[in-house]
Amino acid sequence: MTGRVAMSTAASPASFVSPLGFDFGTKRLGVATGNRMLGSARGLRTITEQGDARWAAIAALIQEWQPDALVIGVPRHPDGAPHEMTARALKFAGQLRGRYRLPVVEVDERYTSAEAQSQGARDLDAASAALILEQFFREHP
């Protein structure tokens, strides 16, 4: 499932210049911003709020950063098979799409947390979101 785009517009993922990336978790949500021209991303923060407060935090980041797309990491087993968190992440992607009317791209996020940890990240969730965005840029040059 690399770089699956689920949206209603005909825009190509390669045309998205400044997306926000999300590392989905039920308790924490890592968020990063990136720039295609630089091919890099940086973690912004980890959202720990739940329910309506979580959506308010996401809305505030979207308002502040004005992304042209949202990229979400979708976890899978090492062999690519889906698991319980896969379905939850896909549901979250659908909610993002419905609430913010922005293109949403789903990226396979296996091993991003381990990679962020090996790089010594202080905020693992935000660093994982940055790695998800960088993977998106590599997959859609």
Side-chain angles (χ1 to χ4, degrees):
M1 172 212 278
T2 55
R4 187 177 127 213
V5 180
M7 59 186 167
S8 59
T9 66
S12 161
S15 69
F16 304 140
V17 176
S18 58
L20 277 184
F22 296 93
D23 179 36
F24 175 78
T26 56
K27 299 203 184 314
R28 295 181 316 275
L29 180 68
V31 185
T33 185
N35 183 292
R36 175 176 301 285
M37 305 307 248
L38 301 174
S40 65
R42 69 180 178 90
L44 291 175
R45 66 171 285 214
T46 294
I47 296 171
T48 56
E49 296 86 353
Q50 297 296 308
D52 289 341
R54 177 180 260 203
W55 292 112
I58 294 168
L61 288 168
I62 289 173
Q63 178 67 33
E64 178 180 354
W65 291 95
Q66 297 291 304
D68 54 5
L70 306 174
V71 176
I72 180 167
V74 178
R76 294 183 171 274
H77 286 294
D79 67 358
H83 55 73
E84 178 188 347
M85 286 302 288
T86 307
R88 288 181 176 203
L90 292 172
K91 179 180 177 183
F92 177 71
Q95 291 171 318
L96 285 173
R97 192 175 299 107
R99 284 177 180 257
Y100 304 109
R101 304 284 183 220
L102 287 167
V104 174
V105 182
E106 298 154 6
V107 174
D108 184 332
E109 67 120 358
R110 282 177 277 181
Y111 308 115
T112 55
S113 295
E115 186 177 344
Q117 188 171 21
S118 74
Q119 293 175 356
R122 285 189 243 162
D123 183 339
L124 286 178
D125 299 298
S128 294
L131 290 170
I132 288 165
L133 273 182
E134 288 173 353
Q135 178 177 329
F136 167 73
F137 292 142
R138 285 190 305 274
E139 290 175 0
H140 302 282

